[in-house]
Structure formats: C-alpha cells, structure tokens
Amino acid sequence: MTERTGTVWGKSHDVTVHQRDPFNAESSLEVLAQGAVTSAEDFYVRNHGPVPEPDPRTWRLSVEGMVQRPLELSLEDLQGRFENHEVVATLQCAGNRRSGLAKVHDIPGHPWGPGATSTASWVGVRLTDVLETAGTDDGARHVAFEAPDVAPEAMPPQRFGASIPIDKATRSEVLLAWEMNGYPLPTVHGAPVRVIVPGYIGARSVKWVDRISVQEHPSQNFFQSTAYRLLPPGIDPYSAPPGDGLALGPLAVNSAILTPDDGAVVPAGATTVTGYALSGEDRGIARVDVSLDGGDNWYQADLDEPLSPWTWTPWRITLDLPLGDVEVTARAWDTSAAVQPEHEAPLWNPKGYFNNAWARIHLTTTDRVERAV
Ligand SMILES: Nc1nc2c(c(=O)[nH]1)N[C@H]1C(S)=C(S)[C@@H](COP(=O)(O)O)O[C@H]1N2
Ligand SMILES: [Mo]
C-alpha cells in the first residue's frame, strides 16, 4: 500500500512511503526536479529488513577471503589510514519504474514509479585503496559485501549482501562512504559506512557494510544469487533457483519526466517539461528526444552538464502544447548510442527490473488558466 506521509528516519513529507516496515520510500518527482543533488531528507530509501543501528564506536569492517593481510578496521582507521575522496553519484534501484511493468502483468514487489533514484555527494575512501592494503591474491575475481540487516523475504532469512567483479571494485569511483551531502551518513542510508558503486544498480551499494570478502566467485547471498536477477518471462519469480537469469550490474539507459505531473491540467501553449536521464557505468547521455505525437516527430531537450560521470543528466524543453489531451513521451540516447525502447510489454520480466521504456505522461490542456483550489 502506498501512503503519503513522512518524518520517519528524517524523511520529508514529500516522499511517498511504499512500506513502513521495512521502510521503503520513493522520492517526490517534483522535488527531484528542483536540483541535480537530492537532500538526504528527500532521497529515496530501499530496505529489505529492519534498519540496524550499528554503534560507530564498536563498528568494525573486516576484509578477508583471498587476501594476503586480512584487516579489521574501525571507523577511525578507515578515515585516518586512507586518502579521503568525494564522488557525486546517482543511485537507482533496479526496480525503478516497476509500476509500468506491473501494468503489463502482475509483479511482486513495490510498485515504484520513476522516483526510486536520487543523487548525492559521497565522501569516503576508495575500496581499491583498502584492497591494496589487504593485498588481493591472484585468482580473486569478485568482492562481496555483507551487512547486519536480516531480510525476512530472503530464502532462508539472512544478512543483506552483494558482490561486484574485482575489475569494478578496483576502480576509483567505488567508495566506502561515511558522509552524504556534507553530513554524516544518516542511519537509514547506511551509517556508519556504506558501499557506493556508481553506475550499478542500487542493490550493490551495500549499507551498514561490516564485512568485505575477496573471492573467486560472486556472492552466494540471496540478493546476489536469487534476487536482482533478470529472468525470462514464464519463470515463477518465487521459486526460481539461485543462479537463474542474469545478475544485474550496470544500469541501462533510462529517463523519466519529472514535471509536469502525469495527469496534470495545464494551460495550452508554452509549457516546460523537465526530467532526468541516466545510463550505466560512466556512459553519458548524448541526447534526449521529446515527442507530442507518439514519436512521429521529436524535439531535442536541453541537457544540463552532469555533475560527474556518475550522475544523471537533468533535461528540460519548452513545448507548445495543443488544446485537449496530450501525451508527452521522452527517450534518451547514451554515448554508446543505446536508446530506450518504445514499449514496456517486451521488457516485462518476472521480478520487474529495468523498465527503461519511453517515459510518458498524459496532460489535459485548457484554453484558460484554471484557478487552483
Ligand atoms: N544492507 C543493505 N544495503 C542495501 C539495501 C538493504 O536492504 N540492506 N538495499 C539496497 C538497495 S536494493 C538499494 S536500491 C539501495 C538504496 O539505497 P538508499 O536506501 O540509501 O536510497 O541500497 C542498497 N543497499
Ligand atoms: Mo534496489
């Protein structure tokens, strides 16, 4: 069930709470449109279990597995022994825009709109610097993360975990972060320390991380081996065994219309439409096309300069809206010339991930300005 409320875990009244416990909240599209960086109180939240509250004084991060020198680091060790870095990065849940897929066929899971994504600046240390200190063995291929929150939905119930290939883990953008937008990481976003894996689905950015394991194989954790996998249609999402389908990593090219609201009544004539576009890894957004006639004619939106290679590209365009019912569609192209597909139906998958069909909103225009009530 979806309710409009706020103020748990420091969230604003603008977020849409999809679930209270575990706490899951979607950012307001209107608020996302207001800036390239999202404040902590408006940042979306995705939790699979109750929020743990590790004591930062006793919190320890273990680095183990295929390493020459296993480490056990306190927060002070992490902050003091390694160079600190800032990365501005957009996080996006693999289930972002699931509601569009759920209209095609039922899908379990929260019906996220396009607001399961937000952008912040993160300060921490590079995972690669920590791995270098530990010294990874030849033959190490993956880096796995674990956190203390136990997800009841996991089979069997277990701590949250994920892994990324070692080639990604050793890139400079991947952080162990304790600061968000200049403040200590809020509890609900992973305090004292979380992983930030820019360019990948949000599920790999493990919050409250307390264990890093270097290994030959991907994590066997439920959220790597069973959840967050793209299954073919016809498979039962509840009973698909570990290892089925594709483990999701880098995001696909996507976009959304943020303003006006879907279903809004606006005056005919000049209206500005805004949105975001984002692609996986450090692929940039090359172009955003917007159409008023279902794709027969396209206009190119103005793109803001992204704040980093790891953030979304805000875009805007002023359109001359005709009188009556209008559908506005948008599609983004990334720098590898990948483009969003037109329809949701062919993208449908049993767990409802990676809906990157054209963004669409429906507007009704009037020939006079209606008074707001
Ligand atoms: N420990 C832990 N880390 C987690 C999760 C979780 O449930 N537990 N959810 C993941 C998912 S699916 C997403 S999309 C992001 C969301 O990050 P946020 O809540 O800070 O927005 O956190 C990821 N890290
Ligand atoms: Mo997610």
Side-chain angles (χ1 to χ4, degrees):
M1 224 186 63
T2 298
E3 54 179 307
R4 232 170 213 291
T5 167
T7 70
V8 258
W9 297 115
K11 290 292 145 179
S12 80
H13 286 286
D14 294 316
V15 302
T16 297
V17 176
H18 286 289
Q19 194 179 14
R20 288 246 142 200
D21 195 13
F23 185 67
N24 283 283
E26 178 163 354
S27 298
S28 149
L29 302 187
E30 200 187 326
V31 171
L32 292 185
Q34 285 163 13
V37 169
T38 318
S39 72
E41 62 169 15
D42 289 308
F43 205 98
Y44 83 102
V45 180
R46 176 75 182 103
N47 290 327
H48 293 83
V51 172
E53 299 185 62
D55 180 347
R57 288 163 307 182
T58 55
W59 173 88
R60 295 288 181 276
L61 176 65
S62 70
V63 183
E64 52 196 87
M66 295 174 75
V67 294
Q68 278 125 45
R69 294 169 295 277
L71 307 173
E72 178 149 288
L73 302 166
S74 67
L75 185 55
E76 219 173 37
D77 293 334
L78 201 64
Q79 293 175 332
R81 281 177 55 184
F82 306 91
E83 209 176 293
N84 294 189
H85 292 275
E86 179 187 7
V87 174
V88 190
T90 300
L91 295 189
Q92 186 160 112
C93 186
N96 189 46
R97 303 187 63 208
R98 174 179 290 140
S99 59
L101 296 177
K103 284 183 194 146
V104 179
H105 295 294
D106 277 354
I107 301 172
H110 302 302
W112 298 103
T117 184
S118 301
T119 301
S121 88
W122 311 95
V123 171
V125 297
R126 291 178 173 152
L127 175 60
T128 188
D129 290 348
V130 174
L131 293 176
E132 200 181 294
T133 299
T136 57
D137 295 342
D138 297 343
R141 293 286 174 269
H142 297 268
V143 177
F145 313 112
E146 259 181 46
D149 54 321
V150 174
E153 91 198 55
M155 287 177 294
Q158 59 196 273
R159 284 154 49 93
F160 187 87
S163 65
I164 57 175
I166 201 157
D167 292 348
K168 178 69 178 179
T170 50
R171 289 184 50 108
S172 61
E173 69 271 13
V174 178
L175 296 185
L176 299 168
W178 56 79
E179 202 179 286
M180 177 181 188
N181 293 338
Y183 295 96
L185 201 57
T187 303
V188 78
H189 291 294
V193 174
R194 77 176 299 169
V195 186
I196 293 290
V197 185
Y200 269 45
I201 62 166
R204 309 311 178 210
S205 291
V206 174
K207 302 189 276 190
W208 314 290
V209 62
D210 61 11
R211 181 168 182 260
I212 295 175
S213 150
V214 179
Q215 46 195 64
E216 198 179 337
H217 300 289
S219 169
Q220 312 253 336
N221 186 278
F222 176 82
F223 294 97
Q224 185 75 36
S225 66
T226 309
Y228 293 104
R229 298 184 83 100
L230 193 84
L231 299 171
I235 301 283
D236 172 15
Y238 294 104
S239 60
D244 252 25
L246 164 73
L248 298 170
L251 290 162
V253 64
N254 212 335
S255 72
I257 296 170
L258 294 174
T259 63
D261 252 356
D262 187 21
V265 180
V266 297
T271 286
T272 299
V273 175
T274 73
Y276 67 74
L278 178 70
S279 193
E281 288 289 14
D282 58 355
R283 291 188 290 278
I285 295 301
R287 204 172 88 205
V288 174
D289 298 330
V290 181
S291 177
L292 293 176
D293 55 13
D296 287 342
N297 294 281
W298 294 102
Y299 308 97
Q300 277 71 57
D302 293 323
L303 309 183
D304 290 356
E305 192 63 40
L307 294 177
S308 88
W310 310 105
T311 62
W312 56 22
T313 295
W315 56 264
R316 69 208 68 252
I317 188 169
T318 301
L319 299 165
D320 190 17
L321 299 183
L323 196 60
D325 290 338
V326 190
E327 184 186 59
V328 185
T329 55
R331 65 174 188 200
W333 300 75
D334 75 13
T335 48
S336 74
V339 64
Q340 294 178 246
E342 181 171 358
H343 294 297
E344 266 126 353
L347 296 172
W348 189 91
N349 61 94
K351 290 178 190 256
Y353 299 131
F354 276 42
N355 178 11
N356 70 338
W358 293 358
R360 284 174 206 274
I361 59 165
H362 295 92
L363 300 175
T364 303
T365 62
T366 57
D367 58 357
R368 64 200 165 83
V369 182
E370 303 278 344
R371 221 169 229 299
V373 279

